[in-house]
Amino acid sequence: MNNDELILFALDASRGFGEAVSCKLGTPLSAHEERDFEDGEHKTRPLVNVRGRDIYVVQSLYGDATQTVNDKLIRLLFFLGALKDASAGRLTAVIPYLAYARKERKTKPREPVTTRYVAGLFEAVGTECVVTLDVHNLAAFQNAFRCRTEHLEANPLFVEHFAPLVREGDVAVISPDTGAIKRAEEFRRSLGAVLTRPVGAAFAEKYRSRGAVSGEALVGDVAGKAVIIIDDLISGGTTVARAAQACRERGATRVYAAVTHGVFADAANAVLGSSTVDQIVVTDTIPPLRIHDAALKSRLIQLSAAGLFAQAIRRLHTGGSIVDLLRS
């Protein structure tokens, strides 16, 4: 497809992120209308001709004071449906943070597999591709969707940020639970390649039952090292705080956390505000709306993922390689 056939939308709730992507991409956001009715219903429609065009719609699915996760999801679905009805050529949902990705399997009898249901909703309105960043379980995400999916990784952003910080001295990468082992290993290898020296690895024990987190063991040598805890999402902060405390007790000199999506539930202010983490690094897929603790704010750094999404959109539009993008 030609560059002039690409159309980029961002719904109002993700306007800021959409504008950042637009700037990096060099493509202006196209006009649309969002209208709310007195009874709580709403409509969203494009204000430009989309017939036969390559369409990309940006909407990050996190809750805030104005719209819930469900509000944002249904608005995105309705807008995608409206675009399809208006004869859009190819329809891509660009979702920096994908809601419901953590409920990808049954852990108790008769539980829902919500990730699969959400996938079915996107397919039902004619979505042909879903692009997102660092889902909780990549295999479950890829298997839930029948349409094309593209999974981006914050790994390059974190490597670029942390390489100068740990240039001198020993460093280790920590997986705070079994679910983050592969993610941590990929980051460890990438960081080691940039530093041109070995980077250590460690694993923190974690068990969760009925919302309570337990587990004290730490496997791996962290004494005298700067450590980086890697995870995909931080909500209440307990997982990161416990891993950080375990590293401190075993002699770590500095403790960093690199987490893609900063949900930061209200409890995170108390948990992480008093934690031993020197720096918490997240991307801007979710604004730090719920952070009010001054100590936590002072240690929080946000990295922009807009450039990564802009490059992905450009490659999808021109037939470029997403695999090469993640390796660059």
Side-chain angles (χ1 to χ4, degrees), residues 8-9 15 29-33 45-48 79:
L8 179 68
F9 290 101
R15 181 81 186 183
L29 291 175
S30 292
H32 75 286
E33 176 192 33
R45 67 184 180 109
L47 297 178
V48 297
F79 187 55

Side-chain angles (χ1 to χ4, degrees), residues 126-321:
T127 309
E128 286 149 307
C129 182
V130 171
V131 183
T132 191
L133 178 69
D134 278 345
V135 294
H136 186 65
N137 184 322
L138 178 56
F141 164 71
Q142 292 172 333
N143 285 315
F145 285 82
R146 296 297 175 265
C147 67
R148 178 180 178 182
T149 58
E150 295 293 349
H151 182 258
L152 308 182
E153 299 171 359
N155 193 18
L157 304 178
F158 290 140
V159 170
E160 182 180 8
H161 175 80
F162 282 105
L165 294 180
V166 297
R167 180 69 63 183
E168 305 296 330
D170 293 335
V171 59
V173 173
I174 310 300
S175 172
D177 56 34
T178 56
I181 289 178
K182 185 174 181 180
R183 194 185 316 274
E185 179 61 16
E186 290 175 351
F187 173 75
R188 185 183 72 84
R189 291 177 179 175
S190 298
L191 182 62
V194 172
L195 296 177
T196 64
R197 70 173 193 270
V199 172
F203 163 72
E205 179 187 33
K206 173 188 167 183
Y207 302 102
R208 186 187 295 274
S209 179
R210 299 183 182 274
V213 177
S214 60
E216 302 292 338
L218 180 71
V219 179
D221 180 18
V222 299
K225 298 179 180 180
V227 301
I228 305 171
I229 302 167
I230 296 289
D231 212 348
D232 65 298
L233 182 148
I234 189 167
S235 183
T238 306
T239 298
V240 167
R242 290 176 68 88
Q245 184 62 33
C247 290
R248 288 291 191 187
E249 291 173 355
R250 289 156 180 81
T253 57
R254 286 171 289 162
V255 179
Y256 303 105
V259 184
T260 305
H261 307 293
V263 175
F264 293 114
D266 287 337
N269 286 275
V271 173
L272 295 172
S274 59
S275 74
T276 59
V277 184
D278 294 298
Q279 188 180 95
I280 300 174
V281 183
V282 297
T283 72
D284 58 349
T285 57
I286 305 174
L289 304 169
R290 301 179 185 90
I291 295 179
H292 51 74
D293 182 84
L296 178 53
K297 281 184 179 180
S298 69
R299 301 199 300 269
L300 183 68
I301 292 178
Q302 271 200 311
L303 305 180
S304 176
L308 182 62
F309 277 95
Q311 291 182 65
I313 290 171
R314 183 178 293 112
R315 290 173 185 241
L316 286 171
H317 179 62
T318 60
S321 171

Side-chain angles (χ1 to χ4, degrees), residues 18 37 122 173 258:
F37 298 100
F122 279 103
V173 173

